[in-house]
Amino acid sequence: MKRQRLVGYVFIAPNLIGMTVFMLVPALFSFYLMFTDWVFASGQPPRFIGLDNFRMMVRDDLFVVSVKNTLLVLIPVPISIMLGFLIAVMLNNRTYFQKTLRAFFFAPYFTSGIAIAFVWMVLFQPTNGPINAFLRSIGISEPPLWFASPDTAMYAVLIMMTAGGIGYNMIIYLAALQELSSEQLEAAKMDGATFGQLLRLIIFPLVSPTTFFLMITGFIGSIKSFGMIYAITQGGPGNSTTVFSIFAYKKAFNFYEMGYASAVSWTMFLIILCITLIQWVGQKKWVHY
Amino acid sequence: MDTRNKRMIRERVAKSFNTIIMALASLLLLSPMIWMVSTSFKKPKDVFTYPIQWIPLDPVWTNHFKVWMTGDGFALFYFNSLKISLILLIGAPLLAAFAAYGFSRIPFKGRDSIFLLYLCLMMIPPQVLFVPKFIMFDWMRIYNTHWALILPGLFTVFGVFMIRQFFMSIPHEISEAAFIDGAGHFRIFFQLFLPLSKPVLATFAIIDFTWTWNDYENALIFLLDKKLYTVPLGMQNFMLEAGVDYNLMMAAATAGVVPLLIVFFLGQKYIIQGFASSAVKG
């Protein structure tokens, strides 16, 4: 029995050591830093200042902007979940070439990254870009400036994120739909239910656990999103696309205010925790297991 | 008979109609990528012609040559990215499987509390860890080296979680039989569990590969020298230098996406199943 225990530790040891060094210790370190005023390379040791960083933060203009923008980037989540759901329903026995279409829808998600962010940047180019050229050709003489203007940059981000999420949601729904028994659906069809009724009253409730999963992971992913936005805008123009993660990044690596940046990033963690808890409580109203 | 025929025809018409609608929708979502590839073959004057030239009338290869051959070109960024991704492609699943075996098959004191701690760590956003890691890596003298991406990348909670789920589904009778034959945990792990779990290892490896390949944040924070840049960072650097040469930019973007597209079309079946199962079971 004792030997058994030892072997158990041997198996988890490599991973546990790595986790401790690269996650647990940094997490604790950062937890300590958020109560200090430490500035990297200032030569001063960290000084304990209690909750002062948080007092400073709520008065920071950038905090208000980034909270607003972080709430905005939640919008693409339900939209791309809805679209993903509709596409999955269609691809589940209602079309030909299902496998090919599935791959087509999923490929953009799979390959999305910095490269695709730059493609969007050029597509949204305000003077001659293809999107505005199209808008002009259908009679909109002054199309939005997208990433070039603080008023519209966030819309371009939201469009990019919505398009990026559809493929993943579709794949997950499709897997869930294929595990449903077709009996209930057939019975409802026999009773003369329309397609709309079928969707709303039967299919959607049956896949509600999947919807719940996608909402939680989607919201968390959106709050954490950094790369695609930062690569295009660096949080600008002005601070118009500064979301929470960019706010934390700027404080840490543009200004080296490590204590303050830690406070910002833990606030982000709190927001994620709150949203997850709210959804967890709210799920009872609409998720049927 | 007649009504049944009519119903079948109606169903076929509906199905064909749906297929066309869905095909158009998928093309709409794919259009940024199609535009990227076609623009990478255009001359500067053709980039923004409207109506859009989906197939360039006057295609040229020079953009791709420039992207790959210039001083700090993509050849170097590719080498760096491949080096890091391949080490993690082998290392991360193996280390995760090793831990997953301990967490699922050997009862020992404190096991479940440690696993719970892992799940808590999974909730912490990477942004929380960037500052302390930046300082720690500076102390450890791995800041501005590829080790700053490789070492932390070897240890994933997600991988342990995913592979543990799979190990739990392997019937206990199988390992009991091996124990009676005198095998120890290590032999059972290497000779029984690893071969059995090839599909889940492959799935995790592919998902992890795409994350590593696309990882921009860690590279942005922990790499300084241009000669260490990975593909996402190299691309960013290239965009800054290309300025308004959008055809060059798109050639660079194409270079960044192509390996993922190749991986996707080669392993499509596993990838799609993998993503789906990681969500349904995870």
Side-chain angles (χ1 to χ4, degrees):
Chain A
M1 208 50 209
K2 226 176 194 166
R3 213 186 105 76
Q4 170 102 330
R5 229 162 93 180
L6 201 69
V7 175
Y9 289 124
V10 169
F11 267 95
I12 66 161
N15 198 279
L16 188 62
I17 292 169
M19 284 299 176
T20 309
V21 174
F22 295 111
M23 286 195 87
L24 188 61
V25 170
L28 295 174
F29 189 19
S30 153
F31 193 80
Y32 158 71
L33 280 179
M34 86 174 148
F35 300 110
T36 72
D37 63 351
W38 198 42
V39 177
F40 184 70
S42 66
Q44 305 286 328
R47 193 167 55 106
F48 189 81
I49 53 166
L51 294 172
D52 276 3
N53 279 327
F54 292 93
R55 287 192 198 104
M56 223 157 76
M57 193 170 66
V58 289
R59 280 195 298 261
D60 192 334
D61 290 340
L62 207 51
F63 171 75
V64 181
V65 171
S66 58
V67 166
K68 200 193 84 201
N69 286 335
T70 304
L71 289 176
L72 281 176
V73 294
L74 298 182
I75 296 172
V77 177
I79 298 176
S80 68
I81 286 178
M82 277 263 287
L83 292 172
F85 173 67
L86 290 176
I87 294 167
V89 170
M90 293 305 271
L91 292 194
N92 190 29
N93 299 327
R94 284 193 174 77
T95 64
Y96 298 106
F97 309 114
Q98 284 175 32
K99 284 194 174 145
T100 315
L101 285 175
R102 190 180 64 171
F104 278 10
F105 276 111
F106 193 58
Y109 167 80
F110 190 76
T111 49
S112 73
I114 298 306
I116 298 300
F118 284 118
V119 177
W120 281 106
M121 187 178 91
V122 183
L123 290 175
F124 277 121
Q125 205 270 354
T127 45
N128 302 311
I131 289 176
N132 276 0
F134 169 74
L135 290 177
R136 279 196 198 90
S137 78
I138 59 166
I140 300 170
S141 56
E142 279 182 48
L145 297 175
W146 305 115
F147 288 121
S149 153
D151 299 326
T152 52
M154 213 50 211
Y155 294 111
V157 168
L158 297 185
I159 291 172
M160 181 176 82
M161 288 178 75
T162 307
I166 293 173
Y168 177 73
N169 296 328
M170 181 274 301
I171 283 291
I172 307 301
Y173 270 125
L174 205 53
L177 288 174
Q178 279 162 359
E179 285 189 7
L180 295 185
S181 74
S182 54
E183 283 165 33
Q184 257 178 306
L185 297 180
E186 289 303 322
K189 262 190 211 166
M190 288 295 174
D191 293 342
T194 64
F195 182 55
Q197 287 170 326
L198 212 63
L199 268 187
R200 202 159 39 84
L201 300 172
I202 299 183
I203 303 179
F204 194 71
L206 282 176
V207 295
S208 56
T210 305
T211 309
F212 175 63
F213 168 82
L214 289 175
M215 288 283 253
I216 285 206
T217 52
F219 279 144
I220 293 177
S222 258
I223 295 172
K224 287 199 275 193
S225 59
F226 173 85
M228 286 185 86
I229 306 175
Y230 187 80
I232 301 176
T233 68
Q234 283 86 47
N239 286 315
S240 60
T241 56
T242 298
V243 290
F244 235 86
S245 57
I246 297 182
F247 179 31
Y249 175 85
K250 278 184 177 170
K251 286 297 169 200
F253 300 106
N254 292 353
F255 303 106
Y256 293 104
E257 295 172 21
M258 298 313 195
Y260 189 52
S262 299
V264 173
S265 64
W266 277 102
T267 308
M268 201 171 128
F269 171 73
L270 272 183
I271 295 176
I272 290 176
L273 200 68
C274 284
I275 288 187
T276 310
L277 285 178
I278 291 170
Q279 283 192 292
W280 200 265
V281 174
Q283 65 161 319
K284 289 195 193 92
K285 291 211 165 59
W286 59 277
V287 179
H288 311 272
Y289 286 99
Chain B
M1 195 62 200
D2 203 32
T3 49
R4 198 202 253 174
N5 257 344
K6 261 188 195 160
R7 223 185 83 189
M8 247 174 67
I9 292 171
R10 209 180 327 131
E11 258 174 31
R12 276 192 190 161
V13 170
K15 225 171 164 180
S16 309
F17 178 74
N18 290 343
T19 310
I20 293 169
I21 298 287
M22 286 295 112
L24 289 176
S26 72
L27 282 180
L28 185 69
L29 276 181
L30 277 172
S31 60
M33 230 187 308
I34 301 171
W35 190 82
M36 167 188 84
V37 176
S38 90
T39 304
S40 73
F41 289 103
K42 285 178 191 166
K43 287 179 175 167
K45 66 175 173 56
D46 293 331
V47 169
F48 286 144
T49 48
Y50 194 83
I52 297 165
Q53 290 182 17
W54 291 104
I55 297 166
L57 294 174
D58 187 10
V60 286
W61 278 97
T62 43
N63 304 326
H64 291 274
F65 279 126
K66 267 188 202 157
V67 162
W68 284 90
M69 301 306 176
T70 46
D72 293 307
F74 264 70
L76 180 67
F77 306 145
Y78 253 79
F79 175 76
N80 291 335
S81 272
L82 272 178
K83 181 180 115 186
I84 295 168
S85 302
L86 288 181
I87 293 176
L88 292 181
L89 189 70
I90 311 280
L94 202 66
L95 272 165
F98 210 62
Y101 185 87
F103 278 121
S104 61
R105 284 310 175 113
I106 309 172
F108 57 88
K109 212 173 137 195
R111 184 184 79 169
D112 294 336
S113 352
I114 296 175
F115 194 68
L116 196 67
L117 179 74
Y118 270 39
L119 295 185
C120 292
L121 287 177
M122 205 150 77
M123 278 186 56
I124 295 179
Q127 281 79 9
V128 167
L129 306 177
F130 283 145
V131 165
K133 270 158 86 182
F134 172 76
I135 296 160
M136 278 172 53
F137 289 176
D138 195 37
W139 289 340
M140 295 160 81
R141 309 233 171 261
I142 59 170
Y143 174 71
N144 194 26
T145 69
H146 285 153
W147 292 113
L149 304 187
I150 295 169
L151 287 178
L154 284 171
F155 310 100
T156 63
V157 185
F158 174 72
V160 175
F161 191 70
M162 190 174 172
I163 298 167
R164 175 180 172 267
Q165 295 293 96
F166 179 80
F167 282 174
M168 305 250 271
S169 72
I170 296 176
H172 273 275
E173 288 79 26
I174 292 183
S175 31
E176 296 298 327
F179 275 130
I180 291 165
D181 290 343
H185 277 298
F186 288 97
R187 258 187 72 190
I188 291 179
F189 173 72
F190 282 109
Q191 294 186 353
L192 205 63
F193 275 61
L194 273 192
L196 270 178
S197 52
K198 264 183 206 155
V200 72
L201 290 177
T203 302
F204 168 65
I206 288 171
I207 295 178
D208 199 53
F209 175 82
T210 62
W211 283 346
T212 315
W213 189 268
N214 280 329
D215 180 13
Y216 167 73
E217 293 178 88
N218 285 300
L220 181 72
I221 293 170
F222 302 127
L223 298 181
L224 207 61
D225 290 346
K226 222 188 230 179
K227 63 177 197 307
L228 295 176
Y229 278 6
T230 54
V231 169
L233 218 52
M235 200 154 10
Q236 153 123 336
N237 181 59
F238 198 87
M239 297 300 157
L240 293 175
E241 285 176 1
V244 291
D245 290 336
Y246 295 118
N247 50 340
L248 277 183
M249 277 170 98
M250 291 304 102
T254 306
V257 167
V258 164
L260 286 180
L261 271 185
I262 293 174
V263 170
F264 180 68
F265 282 104
L266 285 180
Q268 211 195 106
K269 203 178 118 198
Y270 295 100
I271 291 167
I272 288 176
Q273 275 174 3
F275 271 91
S277 68
S278 72
V280 172
K281 288 176 197 140

